[in-house]
Amino acid sequence: MRLSINWLNDFVDLTVTPAELADRLTLAGLEVEALEEVAPDFSGVVVGRVTRVEPHPQADRLQLAEVEDGHATHRVVCGAPNLTAGRLYPFAPLGAVVSGGHKIKAAKLRGVASEGMLLAEDELGLSADHVGLMDIPQDLPLGQDFAVALNLADVVLEVAVTPNRPDCLSVLGLAREVAALLDQPLRHPEVIVAEVAEPAHPLAKVTILDTVGCPRYAARLLLDLTVGPSPFWLRRRLQLAGLRAINNLVDVTNYVLLEFGQPLHAFDFQKLRGGEIVVRRPQTGESHFVTLDDQERPLTPETLLICDRDQAVALAGVMGGLESEVTEATTQVLIESAYFDPSTIRRTSKRLGLSTEASYRFERGVDPEGTIHALERAAQLMAQVGSGRVLAGRLDVHPTPLYRPRLTLRASRANAVLGTAINQEEMHRLLRRLHLPAVKRDTDTLEVQVPPFRGDLEREIDLIEEVARLAGFEQIPVTLPRGVLATRRPQAEARLRDEARRLLLGQGFFEAVNYSFQPERLQTLLGDGGEALRLANPLSEETALLRTSLLPGLLEALRRNHLKQMQDVRLFELSKIFIPQTGADLPREEQWLSGVVCGAREENSWLAAKAPVDFFDLKGVVETLLQNLLIPEVSFRGNGLPGYLQQGTRIYSRDLEIGVLGKIAPQIGEKLDLAEPLWAFELNFQALAAAAQPFPLFTPLPRYPAAYRDIALTVPEEVPAARVAQELYYHGAPWLVEARLFDVYTGAPIPPGKRSLAFRLSYRDPEKTLTDEAVNRHHEALVKALQEELGAELR
């Protein structure tokens, strides 16, 4: 909301500078984002009076004028068509500077000396109008500095109004806040509507068929109007507020919108069939409506319409219709001032993607009691600037009165919440400054009738906030909180997430945080990505789908790193994916942990040659992760890989599949312009959480020594080493605490189709020292079991 300080001065006397006022408003919850000083683009221009006009002897289109400025009379050559003797105009004497930095000098025009210049608006930098001399009020002091006479110097505050304070989307609303902050009286513009004897009814009629969508609709009828440019003061205020002047009748509705916060609309009354206004929903066959911007808008059954006897003439609370707009030929106007249901207007505005100054206010809620005040103000101004007649009687249909609650405020409760010691009398005074009438019920309680313009006040805590705002948040003493704080132990899955992140960061990975939304090109990057849930209203096509895998986003992040010359990249992401469910509106959400790796195994060093990452590096990363997450009996099986992996393995905990790892297919790298090998892993984090053993609170150091045995087994090549390790742990329990693979060998004398796997076994009993005899018996039983289970042979 752009607030002109000059306009604000009409409502309240300012006792502080604009900069101080900006600080006070910000501390009161109305942040001033910018302060703009507006200065005239000219100097030395004064108010001059043309005393005589005569033709130029050498030019038909020029005239000679005698201009007095209160000190002297000047001879000026002028070609403006509206030059009239006896009128006041802005006058630039010799030495004055006009817009653009042009200094006025003596000059001869067609042989006649000109001692100054009478000015149009564009020459003053006030608008682009160059039709004629600027029309100014005729009661200005002769010879006064023109910028001072019209009060052109101004300061504009850019106020960020929060959605819960629609009452501050107007000069009146902000003036109400300023008056309370400065403890100054609030002035309202004097509104006097000079009605003629002719009644508006039965020429015009209002009917509300949807009392939920429109609880109140008021209107005024004006005749014999003349459409033309608005006076400068009106156009100036609209310009500083960021609105474009259109014509005097439409500008009045925009002016009152900014002044009182009540959206209005002007209908060309002669275009309303039957002179009737009907507020209703679309009827059968009404599917589209053409708005003022000449756009055809689709209608739904919940769209609220303003209609005449036969058809729609406006989208209620959003925008008027093309057929009933005010044009240069308009002489009769029906002014609309209504209260519409905020949720109804919000749905219409969002569905159409059409936000206007009117809908912005209606969807937040306007003052239902302010409709009449704004209507009368608009009628007064429109009759003034349009030279029209206001017919007697206003149309005011109010079938559903809206009531505001009556709230109680306990001084003791307010002080307990704020940590202050404000007495009840002071709270009563602060509320009255905010125009919140309060009545004392007892020594501690105030009863407040919430005014209709404060729709945000619903509970006692809202009143407490008002007391704090006006007393000053900066006045609340700073104290440390008291009490005993108990830290809740995080849930197991949360601890698992934190531990997974810590482990991957420790192995050189960086965590990526990608959007849950992704474009079609990423959804299909891995091949057939399956069906993904498409958003109904995406911000762009880049965020149109909910992801079904974390890998595409990670690969895209890797590609961007490569574009920045980052060749060695390790990224992981722990987040949700969204799997569509047949017959359900919402997808199934799953937590996954995915990572991508490419480039060198280690940083380049003089100690060793640079080696690329390979399968075993990635497998080691995943093994370290799963081991430290206490995932039991992890095995790797190379059956049934997904299509986006060229080679790899599936990962199991016992018989539960928990993920997959391997080398990304080259064709996927080609799509991303990446020639280097790409490695990736995907782990179902929910499966990890289900398989993980509880984190041990404490594991004591072993009290007794371990006994070590080396074993070399010849097994078929198709038997994974993980399967052998799994059987070692199973048959070696309870003494076998570690089975570490330290050698893999193929070749003579190992028969073809087989390989040798060598393990270092550690045996330990937590209760006693194991003897060699006991260990040997246990070890021999273990070897026998492996021979029977796997067909292994002891080397």
Side-chain angles (χ1 to χ4, degrees), residues 37 56 113 165-166 233 257 368 504 506-507 511 542 556 576 578 582 610 649 665 704 734 784:
E37 294 189 4
H56 192 290
R165 292 300 306 272
W233 64 267
L257 166 93
L504 287 171
Q507 296 186 78
E511 183 173 8
E542 288 294 303
E556 174 67 11
K576 290 181 178 179
F578 306 87
T582 304
K610 186 174 182 179
T649 178
Y704 302 99
K784 184 178 180 180

PDB file of all heavy atoms in Angstrom, residues 37 56 113 165-166 233 257 368 504 506-507 511 542 556 576 578 582 610 649 665 704 734 784:
ATOM      1  N   GLU A  37      10.843  10.057  -1.438  1.00  0.00           N
ATOM      2  CA  GLU A  37      10.612  11.501  -1.435  1.00  0.00           C
ATOM      3  C   GLU A  37      10.272  11.947  -2.856  1.00  0.00           C
ATOM      4  O   GLU A  37      11.010  11.666  -3.793  1.00  0.00           O
ATOM      5  CB  GLU A  37      11.848  12.237  -0.919  1.00  0.00           C
ATOM      6  CG  GLU A  37      12.146  11.965   0.554  1.00  0.00           C
ATOM      7  CD  GLU A  37      13.233  12.877   1.093  1.00  0.00           C
ATOM      8  OE1 GLU A  37      13.689  13.768   0.332  1.00  0.00           O
ATOM      9  OE2 GLU A  37      13.631  12.700   2.258  1.00  0.00           O
ATOM     10  N   HIS A  56      -1.155  37.422 -32.212  1.00  0.00           N
ATOM     11  CA  HIS A  56       0.237  37.657 -32.616  1.00  0.00           C
ATOM     12  C   HIS A  56       0.212  38.306 -33.993  1.00  0.00           C
ATOM     13  O   HIS A  56      -0.479  37.832 -34.907  1.00  0.00           O
ATOM     14  CB  HIS A  56       1.004  36.328 -32.661  1.00  0.00           C
ATOM     15  CG  HIS A  56       2.477  36.475 -32.779  1.00  0.00           C
ATOM     16  ND1 HIS A  56       3.099  36.927 -33.925  1.00  0.00           N
ATOM     17  CD2 HIS A  56       3.486  36.220 -31.881  1.00  0.00           C
ATOM     18  CE1 HIS A  56       4.412  36.943 -33.746  1.00  0.00           C
ATOM     19  NE2 HIS A  56       4.665  36.519 -32.501  1.00  0.00           N
ATOM     20  N   ALA A 113       9.328  39.543 -28.761  1.00  0.00           N
ATOM     21  CA  ALA A 113      10.062  39.037 -27.596  1.00  0.00           C
ATOM     22  C   ALA A 113       9.096  38.408 -26.601  1.00  0.00           C
ATOM     23  O   ALA A 113       8.012  38.943 -26.345  1.00  0.00           O
ATOM     24  CB  ALA A 113      10.845  40.168 -26.946  1.00  0.00           C
ATOM     25  N   ARG A 165      -4.821  -7.807   8.091  1.00  0.00           N
ATOM     26  CA  ARG A 165      -5.171  -6.408   8.347  1.00  0.00           C
ATOM     27  C   ARG A 165      -5.679  -5.712   7.087  1.00  0.00           C
ATOM     28  O   ARG A 165      -5.108  -4.723   6.622  1.00  0.00           O
ATOM     29  CB  ARG A 165      -3.958  -5.656   8.901  1.00  0.00           C
ATOM     30  CG  ARG A 165      -3.501  -6.059  10.281  1.00  0.00           C
ATOM     31  CD  ARG A 165      -4.584  -5.866  11.354  1.00  0.00           C
ATOM     32  NE  ARG A 165      -5.110  -4.526  11.378  1.00  0.00           N
ATOM     33  CZ  ARG A 165      -4.575  -3.532  12.091  1.00  0.00           C
ATOM     34  NH1 ARG A 165      -3.497  -3.749  12.826  1.00  0.00           N
ATOM     35  NH2 ARG A 165      -5.134  -2.334  12.088  1.00  0.00           N
ATOM     36  N   PRO A 166      -6.778  -6.196   6.506  1.00  0.00           N
ATOM     37  CA  PRO A 166      -7.306  -5.520   5.311  1.00  0.00           C
ATOM     38  C   PRO A 166      -7.786  -4.106   5.598  1.00  0.00           C
ATOM     39  O   PRO A 166      -7.920  -3.304   4.674  1.00  0.00           O
ATOM     40  CB  PRO A 166      -8.462  -6.436   4.880  1.00  0.00           C
ATOM     41  CG  PRO A 166      -8.873  -7.150   6.121  1.00  0.00           C
ATOM     42  CD  PRO A 166      -7.612  -7.352   6.890  1.00  0.00           C
ATOM     43  N   TRP A 233      -5.642  17.466  -8.808  1.00  0.00           N
ATOM     44  CA  TRP A 233      -5.432  16.958  -7.450  1.00  0.00           C
ATOM     45  C   TRP A 233      -5.810  15.482  -7.350  1.00  0.00           C
ATOM     46  O   TRP A 233      -5.159  14.694  -6.652  1.00  0.00           O
ATOM     47  CB  TRP A 233      -6.231  17.777  -6.440  1.00  0.00           C
ATOM     48  CG  TRP A 233      -7.737  17.689  -6.611  1.00  0.00           C
ATOM     49  CD1 TRP A 233      -8.527  18.522  -7.325  1.00  0.00           C
ATOM     50  CD2 TRP A 233      -8.592  16.690  -6.051  1.00  0.00           C
ATOM     51  NE1 TRP A 233      -9.837  18.126  -7.270  1.00  0.00           N
ATOM     52  CE2 TRP A 233      -9.910  16.992  -6.473  1.00  0.00           C
ATOM     53  CE3 TRP A 233      -8.394  15.580  -5.254  1.00  0.00           C
ATOM     54  CZ2 TRP A 233     -11.011  16.228  -6.123  1.00  0.00           C
ATOM     55  CZ3 TRP A 233      -9.485  14.820  -4.890  1.00  0.00           C
ATOM     56  CH2 TRP A 233     -10.778  15.142  -5.323  1.00  0.00           C
ATOM     57  N   LEU A 257     -11.729   3.959  -3.319  1.00  0.00           N
ATOM     58  CA  LEU A 257     -11.137   2.665  -2.972  1.00  0.00           C
ATOM     59  C   LEU A 257      -9.880   2.855  -2.139  1.00  0.00           C
ATOM     60  O   LEU A 257      -9.681   2.195  -1.111  1.00  0.00           O
ATOM     61  CB  LEU A 257     -10.801   1.898  -4.251  1.00  0.00           C
ATOM     62  CG  LEU A 257      -9.882   0.684  -4.089  1.00  0.00           C
ATOM     63  CD1 LEU A 257     -10.705  -0.582  -3.900  1.00  0.00           C
ATOM     64  CD2 LEU A 257      -8.951   0.513  -5.269  1.00  0.00           C
ATOM     65  N   PRO A 368     -18.070  -4.182   6.462  1.00  0.00           N
ATOM     66  CA  PRO A 368     -19.450  -4.240   5.946  1.00  0.00           C
ATOM     67  C   PRO A 368     -20.252  -2.986   6.244  1.00  0.00           C
ATOM     68  O   PRO A 368     -21.212  -2.683   5.539  1.00  0.00           O
ATOM     69  CB  PRO A 368     -20.031  -5.474   6.655  1.00  0.00           C
ATOM     70  CG  PRO A 368     -19.185  -5.687   7.853  1.00  0.00           C
ATOM     71  CD  PRO A 368     -17.815  -5.202   7.491  1.00  0.00           C
ATOM     72  N   LEU A 504      27.675 -40.484   5.844  1.00  0.00           N
ATOM     73  CA  LEU A 504      27.959 -40.138   4.446  1.00  0.00           C
ATOM     74  C   LEU A 504      28.797 -38.871   4.347  1.00  0.00           C
ATOM     75  O   LEU A 504      29.691 -38.776   3.498  1.00  0.00           O
ATOM     76  CB  LEU A 504      26.653 -39.986   3.671  1.00  0.00           C
ATOM     77  CG  LEU A 504      25.924 -41.308   3.372  1.00  0.00           C
ATOM     78  CD1 LEU A 504      24.543 -41.046   2.805  1.00  0.00           C
ATOM     79  CD2 LEU A 504      26.739 -42.170   2.407  1.00  0.00           C
ATOM     80  N   GLY A 506      30.957 -38.022   6.471  1.00  0.00           N
ATOM     81  CA  GLY A 506      32.288 -38.462   6.851  1.00  0.00           C
ATOM     82  C   GLY A 506      33.017 -39.203   5.759  1.00  0.00           C
ATOM     83  O   GLY A 506      34.253 -39.322   5.803  1.00  0.00           O
ATOM     84  N   GLN A 507      32.286 -39.705   4.769  1.00  0.00           N
ATOM     85  CA  GLN A 507      32.916 -40.413   3.648  1.00  0.00           C
ATOM     86  C   GLN A 507      33.066 -39.520   2.419  1.00  0.00           C
ATOM     87  O   GLN A 507      33.243 -40.012   1.309  1.00  0.00           O
ATOM     88  CB  GLN A 507      32.113 -41.670   3.293  1.00  0.00           C
ATOM     89  CG  GLN A 507      32.093 -42.697   4.425  1.00  0.00           C
ATOM     90  CD  GLN A 507      31.411 -43.982   4.004  1.00  0.00           C
ATOM     91  OE1 GLN A 507      31.995 -44.803   3.308  1.00  0.00           O
ATOM     92  NE2 GLN A 507      30.158 -44.139   4.412  1.00  0.00           N
ATOM     93  N   GLU A 511      25.497 -33.259   1.074  1.00  0.00           N
ATOM     94  CA  GLU A 511      24.047 -33.484   1.039  1.00  0.00           C
ATOM     95  C   GLU A 511      23.395 -32.507   0.077  1.00  0.00           C
ATOM     96  O   GLU A 511      23.646 -31.297   0.117  1.00  0.00           O
ATOM     97  CB  GLU A 511      23.424 -33.325   2.425  1.00  0.00           C
ATOM     98  CG  GLU A 511      21.929 -33.624   2.429  1.00  0.00           C
ATOM     99  CD  GLU A 511      21.324 -33.650   3.810  1.00  0.00           C
ATOM    100  OE1 GLU A 511      22.014 -33.290   4.781  1.00  0.00           O
ATOM    101  OE2 GLU A 511      20.134 -34.034   3.934  1.00  0.00           O
ATOM    102  N   GLU A 542       8.847 -26.698 -15.195  1.00  0.00           N
ATOM    103  CA  GLU A 542       9.995 -27.258 -14.479  1.00  0.00           C
ATOM    104  C   GLU A 542       9.590 -27.832 -13.126  1.00  0.00           C
ATOM    105  O   GLU A 542      10.365 -28.539 -12.488  1.00  0.00           O
ATOM    106  CB  GLU A 542      11.067 -26.185 -14.290  1.00  0.00           C
ATOM    107  CG  GLU A 542      11.801 -25.803 -15.556  1.00  0.00           C
ATOM    108  CD  GLU A 542      12.639 -26.951 -16.109  1.00  0.00           C
ATOM    109  OE1 GLU A 542      13.504 -27.458 -15.389  1.00  0.00           O
ATOM    110  OE2 GLU A 542      12.399 -27.344 -17.272  1.00  0.00           O
ATOM    111  N   GLU A 556      20.930 -34.438 -12.063  1.00  0.00           N
ATOM    112  CA  GLU A 556      20.877 -33.079 -12.582  1.00  0.00           C
ATOM    113  C   GLU A 556      21.809 -32.165 -11.784  1.00  0.00           C
ATOM    114  O   GLU A 556      22.508 -31.313 -12.355  1.00  0.00           O
ATOM    115  CB  GLU A 556      19.439 -32.554 -12.518  1.00  0.00           C
ATOM    116  CG  GLU A 556      19.250 -31.096 -12.906  1.00  0.00           C
ATOM    117  CD  GLU A 556      19.516 -30.821 -14.377  1.00  0.00           C
ATOM    118  OE1 GLU A 556      19.654 -31.787 -15.163  1.00  0.00           O
ATOM    119  OE2 GLU A 556      19.587 -29.634 -14.747  1.00  0.00           O
ATOM    120  N   LYS A 576      11.777 -37.577   0.565  1.00  0.00           N
ATOM    121  CA  LYS A 576      10.592 -38.349   0.186  1.00  0.00           C
ATOM    122  C   LYS A 576      10.436 -38.425  -1.325  1.00  0.00           C
ATOM    123  O   LYS A 576      10.822 -37.502  -2.055  1.00  0.00           O
ATOM    124  CB  LYS A 576       9.328 -37.724   0.790  1.00  0.00           C
ATOM    125  CG  LYS A 576       9.211 -37.876   2.284  1.00  0.00           C
ATOM    126  CD  LYS A 576       7.912 -37.244   2.783  1.00  0.00           C
ATOM    127  CE  LYS A 576       7.757 -37.424   4.289  1.00  0.00           C
ATOM    128  NZ  LYS A 576       6.510 -36.804   4.791  1.00  0.00           N
ATOM    129  N   PHE A 578       7.164 -39.771  -4.164  1.00  0.00           N
ATOM    130  CA  PHE A 578       5.699 -39.822  -4.168  1.00  0.00           C
ATOM    131  C   PHE A 578       5.234 -40.788  -5.254  1.00  0.00           C
ATOM    132  O   PHE A 578       5.413 -40.521  -6.444  1.00  0.00           O
ATOM    133  CB  PHE A 578       5.132 -38.423  -4.394  1.00  0.00           C
ATOM    134  CG  PHE A 578       5.667 -37.412  -3.417  1.00  0.00           C
ATOM    135  CD1 PHE A 578       6.860 -36.726  -3.682  1.00  0.00           C
ATOM    136  CD2 PHE A 578       5.017 -37.165  -2.228  1.00  0.00           C
ATOM    137  CE1 PHE A 578       7.375 -35.812  -2.787  1.00  0.00           C
ATOM    138  CE2 PHE A 578       5.518 -36.250  -1.312  1.00  0.00           C
ATOM    139  CZ  PHE A 578       6.693 -35.572  -1.592  1.00  0.00           C
ATOM    140  N   THR A 582      -3.431 -46.196  -7.396  1.00  0.00           N
ATOM    141  CA  THR A 582      -4.624 -46.360  -8.215  1.00  0.00           C
ATOM    142  C   THR A 582      -5.874 -46.167  -7.351  1.00  0.00           C
ATOM    143  O   THR A 582      -6.011 -46.778  -6.293  1.00  0.00           O
ATOM    144  CB  THR A 582      -4.651 -47.764  -8.845  1.00  0.00           C
ATOM    145  OG1 THR A 582      -3.444 -47.962  -9.587  1.00  0.00           O
ATOM    146  CG2 THR A 582      -5.862 -47.920  -9.750  1.00  0.00           C
ATOM    147  N   LYS A 610      46.234 -40.697  -9.986  1.00  0.00           N
ATOM    148  CA  LYS A 610      44.801 -40.482  -9.872  1.00  0.00           C
ATOM    149  C   LYS A 610      44.052 -41.701 -10.394  1.00  0.00           C
ATOM    150  O   LYS A 610      44.260 -42.129 -11.531  1.00  0.00           O
ATOM    151  CB  LYS A 610      44.403 -39.236 -10.657  1.00  0.00           C
ATOM    152  CG  LYS A 610      42.957 -38.837 -10.478  1.00  0.00           C
ATOM    153  CD  LYS A 610      42.675 -37.506 -11.177  1.00  0.00           C
ATOM    154  CE  LYS A 610      41.248 -37.069 -10.963  1.00  0.00           C
ATOM    155  NZ  LYS A 610      40.961 -35.766 -11.616  1.00  0.00           N
ATOM    156  N   THR A 649      24.251 -54.539  -8.168  1.00  0.00           N
ATOM    157  CA  THR A 649      23.754 -55.573  -7.276  1.00  0.00           C
ATOM    158  C   THR A 649      22.598 -55.034  -6.455  1.00  0.00           C
ATOM    159  O   THR A 649      22.509 -53.833  -6.190  1.00  0.00           O
ATOM    160  CB  THR A 649      24.875 -56.053  -6.327  1.00  0.00           C
ATOM    161  OG1 THR A 649      24.358 -57.019  -5.427  1.00  0.00           O
ATOM    162  CG2 THR A 649      25.451 -54.889  -5.525  1.00  0.00           C
ATOM    163  N   ALA A 665      23.716 -46.636 -16.527  1.00  0.00           N
ATOM    164  CA  ALA A 665      23.853 -46.966 -17.951  1.00  0.00           C
ATOM    165  C   ALA A 665      24.423 -45.781 -18.727  1.00  0.00           C
ATOM    166  O   ALA A 665      24.042 -44.631 -18.478  1.00  0.00           O
ATOM    167  CB  ALA A 665      22.498 -47.372 -18.518  1.00  0.00           C
ATOM    168  N   TYR A 704      38.406 -60.308  27.635  1.00  0.00           N
ATOM    169  CA  TYR A 704      39.184 -61.511  27.355  1.00  0.00           C
ATOM    170  C   TYR A 704      39.704 -61.453  25.924  1.00  0.00           C
ATOM    171  O   TYR A 704      39.061 -60.896  25.034  1.00  0.00           O
ATOM    172  CB  TYR A 704      38.326 -62.761  27.577  1.00  0.00           C
ATOM    173  CG  TYR A 704      37.780 -62.834  28.995  1.00  0.00           C
ATOM    174  CD1 TYR A 704      36.476 -62.427  29.275  1.00  0.00           C
ATOM    175  CD2 TYR A 704      38.588 -63.301  30.028  1.00  0.00           C
ATOM    176  CE1 TYR A 704      35.987 -62.475  30.571  1.00  0.00           C
ATOM    177  CE2 TYR A 704      38.096 -63.358  31.331  1.00  0.00           C
ATOM    178  CZ  TYR A 704      36.802 -62.941  31.594  1.00  0.00           C
ATOM    179  OH  TYR A 704      36.320 -62.983  32.884  1.00  0.00           O
ATOM    180  N   PRO A 734      28.086 -68.699  19.012  1.00  0.00           N
ATOM    181  CA  PRO A 734      28.094 -67.292  19.450  1.00  0.00           C
ATOM    182  C   PRO A 734      29.475 -66.699  19.586  1.00  0.00           C
ATOM    183  O   PRO A 734      29.616 -65.551  20.008  1.00  0.00           O
ATOM    184  CB  PRO A 734      27.406 -67.385  20.797  1.00  0.00           C
ATOM    185  CG  PRO A 734      27.869 -68.702  21.328  1.00  0.00           C
ATOM    186  CD  PRO A 734      28.002 -69.629  20.161  1.00  0.00           C
ATOM    187  N   LYS A 784      32.926 -77.878   8.569  1.00  0.00           N
ATOM    188  CA  LYS A 784      32.064 -78.978   8.127  1.00  0.00           C
ATOM    189  C   LYS A 784      30.708 -78.459   7.662  1.00  0.00           C
ATOM    190  O   LYS A 784      30.173 -78.895   6.642  1.00  0.00           O
ATOM    191  CB  LYS A 784      31.902 -79.980   9.262  1.00  0.00           C
ATOM    192  CG  LYS A 784      31.096 -81.211   8.878  1.00  0.00           C
ATOM    193  CD  LYS A 784      31.015 -82.213  10.041  1.00  0.00           C
ATOM    194  CE  LYS A 784      30.198 -83.445   9.633  1.00  0.00           C
ATOM    195  NZ  LYS A 784      30.097 -84.433  10.748  1.00  0.00           N
TER     196      LYS A 784
END
